[in-house]
Amino acid sequence: MRRPIIAGNWKMNNTRTDAKALITALVPLVADAEPEVVVCVPFTAVETVAAAAKGTNIAVGAQNVAWADKGAFTGEISAAMLKDVGAEYVIIGHSERRQYFGETDATVNLRAVQAIKNGLKPIICVGETLDEREDGETERVVSSQVRGAFEGIAEGMLANVVIAYEPVWAIGTGKTATAEQAQETVAYIRKVFASLYGAALAQKTRVQYGGSMNPANAAELMSKPDVDGGLIGGASLRAEEFAKVVNYKGAAI
Ligand code: 13P
């Protein structure tokens, strides 16, 4: 009942020229995909990629959004600006933003509210570090990140929310969580979400796995009952590779 959603996170890669080449190569490779397909691209490439993806089954997203409508927030990009250039999704609270740019559960919450109020679909990222996992803190950490992200957000606002479980130790390391580890923590995240909003909404809400997901491990990760998709970094930067993840069920590509 939950349609799988495979999203690429291009991170800080691709000029507009590179972005156009990548999206143009990707379009035919995923045209028959069963999952929902999203690419979250740098701000500067959103308009280019959205134009190239118009009329296709690929939705475009950004990688952050300001929590205010407008004003004196140097360096920030508002939800209205993102919608203006064709963004439908936005990643919020990626671990790289938490680690390098001071993002906290409180700012994730503010950004999520702003995205939802403006009709952007947020992909809210949570995940533990290696130390936290080794200390047995995974559930405590993801639980407090989920509770923090959704603080004060009413149930009626959550129809289009996606959660991404991205263990920090698996991001860009080539060290994927096992399918069992992914399932266990994704299921736990759904349980926390259910404790906040009830089982019915939790059963409808998609939770992705992210962290070194690639064509070789996608099918196994996606076979797990609670894993509803992937948030793909490195493997989303090459059209053929990303298409293989999207078509993890083995559709002809
Ligand atoms: P990698 O797929 O490169 O590990 O990145 C995962 C990620 O951070 C997606 O948001």
Side-chain angles (χ1 to χ4, degrees), residues 17-104:
T17 306
D18 300 334
K20 188 159 185 200
L22 178 50
I23 190 72
T24 304
L26 185 63
V27 164
L29 299 179
V30 300
D32 300 320
E34 272 183 47
E36 187 173 351
V37 185
V38 184
V39 288
C40 295
V41 309
F43 293 131
T44 47
V46 172
E47 187 166 17
T48 302
V49 174
K54 201 174 157 78
T56 75
N57 60 330
I58 303 175
V60 181
Q63 300 168 16
N64 197 7
V65 62
W67 58 70
D69 288 338
K70 58 159 122 174
F73 296 96
T74 301
E76 290 285 306
I77 302 286
S78 75
M81 292 168 182
L82 292 181
K83 292 194 73 179
D84 186 44
V85 288
E88 184 178 334
Y89 279 88
V90 63
I91 296 173
I92 296 175
H94 191 278
S95 67
E96 287 149 18
R97 300 238 29 109
R98 294 178 190 257
Q99 191 177 347
Y100 305 128
F101 302 101
E103 205 76 62
T104 64

Side-chain angles (χ1 to χ4, degrees), residues 9 11 94 96 166 170-172 211-213 231-234:
N9 174 9
K11 307 193 179 184
H94 191 278
E96 287 149 18
E166 297 210 302
I171 295 176
S212 299
M213 196 160 163
L231 188 53
I232 322 298

Side-chain angles (χ1 to χ4, degrees), residues 3-244:
R3 185 178 178 204
I5 175 168
I6 306 288
N9 174 9
W10 290 5
K11 307 193 179 184
M12 196 175 71
N13 293 289
N14 294 326
T15 61
R16 285 182 302 164
T17 306
D18 300 334
K20 188 159 185 200
L22 178 50
I23 190 72
T24 304
L26 185 63
V27 164
L29 299 179
V30 300
D32 300 320
E34 272 183 47
E36 187 173 351
V37 185
V38 184
V39 288
C40 295
V41 309
F43 293 131
T44 47
V46 172
E47 187 166 17
T48 302
V49 174
K54 201 174 157 78
T56 75
N57 60 330
I58 303 175
V60 181
Q63 300 168 16
N64 197 7
V65 62
W67 58 70
D69 288 338
K70 58 159 122 174
F73 296 96
T74 301
E76 290 285 306
I77 302 286
S78 75
M81 292 168 182
L82 292 181
K83 292 194 73 179
D84 186 44
V85 288
E88 184 178 334
Y89 279 88
V90 63
I91 296 173
I92 296 175
H94 191 278
S95 67
E96 287 149 18
R97 300 238 29 109
R98 294 178 190 257
Q99 191 177 347
Y100 305 128
F101 302 101
E103 205 76 62
T104 64
D105 291 340
T107 59
V108 169
N109 177 249
L110 289 169
R111 294 185 199 278
V113 168
Q114 186 69 358
I116 293 166
K117 278 201 319 207
N118 286 278
L120 286 168
K121 299 172 179 171
I123 299 175
I124 295 177
C125 302
V126 299
E128 82 288 359
T129 64
L130 184 58
D131 282 352
E132 288 164 344
R133 174 159 284 265
E134 287 175 348
D135 290 347
E137 295 280 288
T138 298
E139 292 194 347
R140 185 192 61 74
V141 169
V142 297
S143 168
S144 88
Q145 288 174 334
V146 169
R147 286 168 200 280
F150 292 104
E151 176 88 42
I153 302 183
E155 183 182 337
M157 294 173 74
L158 295 174
N160 293 316
V161 164
V162 176
I163 301 171
Y165 167 55
E166 297 210 302
V168 177
W169 48 271
I171 295 176
T173 57
K175 195 174 161 188
T176 321
T178 64
E180 289 69 30
Q181 286 171 322
Q183 163 60 24
E184 185 179 44
T185 309
V186 165
Y188 178 75
I189 288 167
R190 195 180 307 286
K191 197 167 119 188
V192 173
F193 195 78
S195 76
L196 299 173
Y197 295 108
L201 186 59
Q203 281 308 315
K204 280 191 212 143
T205 301
R206 294 176 295 183
V207 186
Q208 300 172 308
Y209 166 79
S212 299
M213 196 160 163
N214 61 43
N217 57 31
E220 196 189 348
L221 287 159
M222 292 300 297
S223 74
K224 294 297 175 186
D226 281 282
V227 177
D228 303 319
L231 188 53
I232 322 298
S236 74
L237 296 175
R238 281 197 295 274
E240 296 74 20
E241 219 172 315
F242 186 58
K244 282 184 191 157

